[in-house]
Amino acid sequence: MFMTSLRCVVATLMLTTSVSLADQTPFNTVAKFPWIQKFASIGDSYSAGLGSGDRLDWSCSRYAYSYPNILHTTLLSEDAKRTHRFLSCSGATSTEILEKQVPALSDNLDLLTISAGGNDIGLTPILSNCVYQFYMSGDDACQKSMDEARDKIVSATELYQNVTKLIEAAKPNMNPDHGVIYYTGYAGFFGTDDETCDNVTWAVWRDVEWTKQYLKLEMRKDLNDMVRSVNAIIRKAVAAAGPNVRFIDYDSEIEAIRGRYCEAGVQEPDPNRDGLAFYEWNTVDHGENKTALQNQTGDGVPKGSFEGGIADQINKTLEEHPDWQFDPEKGFVNKTKEGVQGEGIIEDTLHWLIPDSYKRVFHLRPEGHRIVARKVLEDLERNGKGSRVGGDEMIEL
């Protein structure tokens, strides 16, 4: 296998985090959960925290302000004995998490967090064809990608089975007396209270004449409904998995802080407004340097993944129009990486040098991750340890 892919696997197996957020995030650090000594996190870019805070590694684009790292370094309180195996990897589908991350879990885990499912339904084609139009797609392509994603959600079977397999595979690694698994969902991306965004386009090739897609109210509602349908399927699978598996739904919290794109009265694009929970193009968090962001690139991401799809579509367009370059305001694509030919695909990985500041669009900013972390903490405070399950009886501990 290509060396970059090998490095990704090795990093996934070995990485533990030690970054402290105590000086940046003012939370109570009184020891509340001494029973949590072995903590692990598996999942996709929403768990890895793509682009949120300081980078923890290059191979999987894990970041310090991801909700698992916030939990470990701050919310669960300081505990020198507690370990955190951070295995989440940007771009991973539930199948890839099952194949690569679950086998790397330690035994007798006290706490495990999982985020998976968003990459399974085909979010990348929707992002490309309906929102950013990386490949200058038209109405037909947008509708097709929406219909395909909707069909996957409506059938529910594949996603439900993938989530179930992932949970069941992780269960044997949990502490049999009190281990708890938290499966986190997703949040709707758009405000739908008015039609202010109906005249807004985020098409990246703005100076080229073709039929651009706009952030119409109907499309925004459809995308939010898809996210909630995915959450409903995950919730159902979690409920069937038993009392020690718990679902975290933070959709209403993101809505409550007006954290979505196109909130009522917001004139988009407004990438740096207070309260925005998701990254837009040109979002620059406090303490970040815009120029540096455009020069920071991680290793390749899986072909067909959410993040890989962005790289794939941008470069597909550039290949067909070599006299174009990416919008100067957003930087440009460096296509000179040694050994990359054709569409930049080596085995199952894309290696275009696309900065994480581009790939992180539609991902949570630090405050979004804090909301998820707080929801996990609140549930731990309310419901505590898991329960020993044996035969037909459940013994509360």
Side-chain angles (χ1 to χ4, degrees), residues 165-382:
K165 288 178 182 177
L166 185 55
I167 294 172
E168 292 305 315
K171 277 184 178 180
N173 295 91
M174 304 307 297
N175 184 300
D177 291 328
H178 58 245
V180 180
I181 297 174
Y182 281 98
Y183 205 120
T184 57
Y186 301 91
F189 298 113
F190 292 100
T192 56
D193 292 332
D194 69 12
E195 298 179 350
T196 302
C197 267
D198 280 18
N199 295 319
V200 173
T201 179
W202 283 351
V204 294
W205 307 106
R206 296 175 187 174
D207 296 331
V208 180
E209 290 301 324
W210 94 103
T211 304
K212 299 177 178 68
Q213 295 290 335
Y214 290 82
L215 301 178
K216 298 286 189 179
L217 181 61
E218 181 180 0
M219 185 187 74
R220 286 181 272 137
K221 288 181 176 179
D222 283 347
L223 288 174
N224 283 357
D225 287 344
M226 287 183 187
V227 170
R228 288 165 188 147
S229 295
V230 169
N231 280 350
I233 294 170
I234 295 174
R235 184 192 298 273
K236 182 177 179 181
V238 167
N244 298 336
V245 185
R246 304 167 184 173
F247 179 65
I248 296 296
D249 188 345
Y250 54 94
D251 182 46
S252 61
E253 281 76 8
I254 298 296
E255 179 179 357
I257 67 167
R258 288 173 47 84
R260 303 166 301 178
Y261 310 122
C262 295
E263 294 286 4
V266 172
Q267 296 291 330
E268 295 287 4
D270 193 0
N272 297 302
R273 70 175 177 86
D274 291 339
L276 179 62
F278 298 102
Y279 286 103
E280 289 186 22
W281 292 113
N282 290 332
T283 297
V284 180
D285 287 329
H286 178 71
E288 290 184 331
N289 179 284
K290 184 174 182 178
T291 301
L293 283 175
Q294 294 178 350
N295 293 325
Q296 291 181 354
T297 59
D299 286 347
V301 291
K303 179 185 177 184
S305 69
F306 179 87
E307 298 77 20
I310 297 175
D312 192 24
Q313 293 297 323
I314 290 174
N315 289 288
K316 187 176 180 181
T317 307
L318 289 172
E319 285 175 3
E320 293 200 2
H321 303 275
D323 54 325
W324 295 359
Q325 67 178 23
F326 206 48
D327 188 333
E329 181 64 17
K330 305 177 181 69
F332 60 91
V333 178
N334 183 342
K335 304 202 304 181
T336 63
K337 187 170 182 179
E338 183 179 356
V340 176
Q341 298 177 354
E343 293 186 352
I345 299 171
I346 300 178
E347 295 184 355
D348 61 348
T349 307
L350 278 158
H351 288 265
W352 292 117
L353 298 183
I354 302 295
D356 282 358
S357 58
Y358 299 167
K359 292 184 290 189
R360 70 185 184 178
V361 294
F362 276 71
H363 288 74
L364 291 172
R365 296 176 72 185
E367 182 53 33
H369 282 284
R370 291 189 186 100
I371 287 173
V372 180
R374 289 188 191 108
K375 291 278 288 184
V376 173
L377 182 75
E378 289 167 2
D379 191 89
L380 280 169
E381 292 175 333
R382 183 169 56 251

Side-chain angles (χ1 to χ4, degrees), residues 14 72 124 133 150 155 164 275-276 303 310 312 324 338:
M14 299 300 297
H72 174 57
T124 298
Q133 295 180 270
R150 193 177 289 109
S155 67
T164 299
L276 179 62
K303 179 185 177 184
I310 297 175
D312 192 24
W324 295 359
E338 183 179 356

Side-chain angles (χ1 to χ4, degrees), residues 38 40 83 85 87 102-109 170 172-174:
K38 298 182 71 175
T83 61
R85 175 154 283 194
L87 300 169
V102 171
L105 289 172
S106 303
D107 294 330
N108 292 314
L109 291 171
N173 295 91
M174 304 307 297

